C-alpha cells in the first residue's frame, strides 16, 4: 500500500453513531420501513467499503455540518482499520437484509444486532471490533508467501 | 417484539464487551494455557535481544491502537538501558502468532535477558504497566 489514506477519527465516531441509530431503528420499526432502512444502511456501508470512507453520506454530513463547528482534528488516523470495519459491517447487514427478504426474520434480527453492537462500541468507546479480531480470523488462514 | 429484544440484547452485549476490553487492555498476565513457553531467539525477532529485556510487539495493518503502542514502547526502550523494542508484523509471522497463541493486535510480549517470555499483554498498555512488567522481567527469577 503506497500512500495510506488518513481520516478524521471524530468523523468515524459520528458515522458510527448515525449507523447505530439507523440499525436500532431497523430493529424497532414495523416491517416495510425497517427493511427499507436496512437497505439504506447496506448501501451506505457499500459506499464506505468499496469507494472511500469520506464518500459515505454520513461522512459527508459530518464534513459539512459537524467539522466546521469543531475545527480541524488534532491528529488523523490510518483509514485502513475503519475501512476494514466497514467491510465487516457490510457483510453483516447484507446478510441481515437477505435473511429478512427470504423470511428468516430471526436470523435477520441477530445479524442486525451484531452489526449494532459493533457500531455502538465504535461510537461509544472508539473501539473497532472488526479490527480487534482481524488477527484471530487470519490465524486460521494459510500464511502468505 | 423480537426486534426490541434484539435491541436490548445488543445494548447489554455492547456494555459487557466494552467493560471487558477496558479492564483487559494493557494488563500484563501469564501465558495462555496453549501457548508455547520456550521463548524467542534473535532469529525470531530479526534483531539482537535486549541486554536486560526485550519488548516484542505484534501489530497488524487493521489495528488502530498499534501505532500508539509502538510509540510508547520505542520511547521506553530509548529511555531504559538494556531494553530493546521490536515491532513484528503479525500477518507475516503467523507461525509465531500460532506458537504464542496471539489473538489480538497489539499484543506485547516481555522477554527477559535470555529471551524467555516473562509476561504479556494485549491492547494499548499504559506506561506504568509496561515499566512494571519490565521490572518483573529484569528483576525476579522465574
Amino acid at each position: 500500500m503506497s500512500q495510506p489514506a488518513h481520516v478524521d477519527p471524530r468523523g468515524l465516531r459520528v458515522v458510527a453513531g448515525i449507523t447505530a441509530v439507523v440499525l436500532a431503528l431497523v430493529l424497532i420499526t414495523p416491517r416495510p420501513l425497517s427493511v427499507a432502512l436496512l437497505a439504506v444502511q447496506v448501501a451506505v456501508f457499500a459506499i464506505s467499503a468499496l469507494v472511500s470512507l469520506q464518500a459515505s453520506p454520513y461522512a459527508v454530513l459530518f464534513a459539512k455540518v459537524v467539522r466546521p463547528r469543531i475545527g480541524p482534528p488534532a491528529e488523523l488516523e490510518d483509514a485502513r482499520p475503519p475501512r476494514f470495519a466497514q467491510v465487516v459491517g457490510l457483510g453483516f447487514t447484507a446478510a441481515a437484509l437477505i435473511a429478512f427478504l427470504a423470511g428468516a426474520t430471526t436470523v435477520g434480527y441477530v445479524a442486525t444486532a451484531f452489526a449494532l453492537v459493533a457500531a455502538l462500541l465504535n461510537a461509544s468507546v472508539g473501539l473497532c471490533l472488526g479490527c480487534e479480531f482481524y488477527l484471530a480470523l487470519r490465524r486460521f488462514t494459510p500464511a502468505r508467501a | 417484539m423480537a426486534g426490541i429484544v434484539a435491541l436490548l440484547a445488543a445494548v447489554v452485549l455492547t456494555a459487557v464487551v466494552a467493560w471487558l476490553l477496558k479492564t483487559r487492555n494493557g494488563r500484563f498476565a501469564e501465558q495462555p494455557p496453549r501457548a508455547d513457553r520456550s521463548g524467542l531467539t534473535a532469529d525470531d525477532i530479526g534483531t539482537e535481544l535486549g541486554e536486560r529485556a526485550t519488548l516484542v510487539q505484534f501489530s497488524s495493518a487493521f489495528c488502530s491502537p498499534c501505532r500508539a503502542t509502538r510509540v510508547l514502547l520505542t520511547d521506553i526502550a530509548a529511555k531504559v538501558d538494556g531494553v530493546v523494542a521490536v515491532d513484528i508484523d503479525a500477518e507475516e509471522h503467523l507461525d509465531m502468532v500460532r506458537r504464542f497463541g496471539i489473538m489480538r493486535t497489539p499484543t506485547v510480549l516481555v522477554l527477559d535477558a535470555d529471551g524467555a517470555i516473562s509476561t504479556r499483554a494485549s491492547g494499548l498498555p499504559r506506561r506504568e504497566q509496561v515499566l512494571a512488567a519490565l521490572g518483573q522481567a529484569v528483576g525476579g527469577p522465574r
Side-chain angles (χ1 to χ4, degrees), chain A residues 24 27-28 75-77 80-81 84 109 113 116-117 120-121 125 127 129 131-132 134-136 138-139 141 143-144, chain B residues 2-4 6-7 10-11 13-14 17-18 21 60-64 67 90-91 94 97-98 101-105:
Chain A
L27 289 176
I28 56 173
E75 59 180 54
L76 294 175
E77 203 177 284
R80 287 173 298 171
F84 172 73
Y109 278 133
L116 175 57
V117 169
L120 280 175
L121 278 173
V125 292
L127 176 97
L129 197 63
C131 310
E132 289 282 328
Y134 171 75
L135 188 66
R138 278 287 285 141
R139 294 178 75 210
T141 58
R144 275 187 305 201
Chain B
I4 293 172
L7 176 62
V11 170
L13 186 59
T14 302
V17 172
L21 287 171
S60 65
F62 299 121
C63 165
S64 329
R67 193 170 57 105
E91 284 185 78
L94 286 176
V97 167
R98 295 192 184 100
I102 291 164
M103 297 300 286
R104 297 169 56 201
T105 50

Side-chain angles (χ1 to χ4, degrees), chain A residues 3-23:
Chain A
Q3 186 69 46
H6 286 81
V7 285
D8 187 338
R10 302 164 310 172
L12 298 174
R13 301 284 283 268
V14 170
V15 167
I18 301 174
T19 304
V21 170
V22 172
L23 290 175

Side-chain angles (χ1 to χ4, degrees), chain A residues 1 5 65 67 91 105 116 130 138 140 143:
Chain A
M1 284 177 229
V65 179
R67 191 161 46 205
T105 312
L116 175 57
R138 278 287 285 141
F140 300 107

Side-chain angles (χ1 to χ4, degrees), chain B residues 8-123:
Chain B
L8 291 178
V11 170
V12 171
L13 186 59
T14 302
V16 171
V17 172
W19 179 80
L20 268 181
L21 287 171
K22 191 168 180 284
T23 51
R24 294 259 167 97
N25 272 355
R27 197 167 68 186
F28 284 89
E30 293 294 314
Q31 291 279 314
R34 291 189 301 112
D36 183 340
R37 285 158 189 271
S38 62
L40 284 81
T41 63
D43 275 349
D44 284 329
I45 61 172
T47 177
E48 289 301 311
L49 292 169
E51 216 169 283
R52 295 163 70 206
T54 310
L55 299 167
V56 182
Q57 175 183 348
F58 285 84
S59 301
S60 65
F62 299 121
C63 165
S64 329
C66 284
R67 193 170 57 105
T69 305
R70 180 161 51 241
V71 170
L72 173 66
L73 298 189
T74 309
D75 183 58
I76 289 174
K79 286 181 180 155
V80 184
D81 272 348
V83 173
V84 167
V86 191
D87 189 16
I88 290 180
D89 184 337
E91 284 185 78
E92 283 175 14
H93 296 90
L94 286 176
D95 53 324
M96 276 199 272
V97 167
R98 295 192 184 100
R99 208 167 112 200
F100 302 116
I102 291 164
M103 297 300 286
R104 297 169 56 201
T105 50
T107 288
V108 179
L109 308 179
V110 182
L111 312 183
D112 65 16
D114 300 323
I117 300 170
S118 167
T119 180
R120 60 189 275 161
S122 293

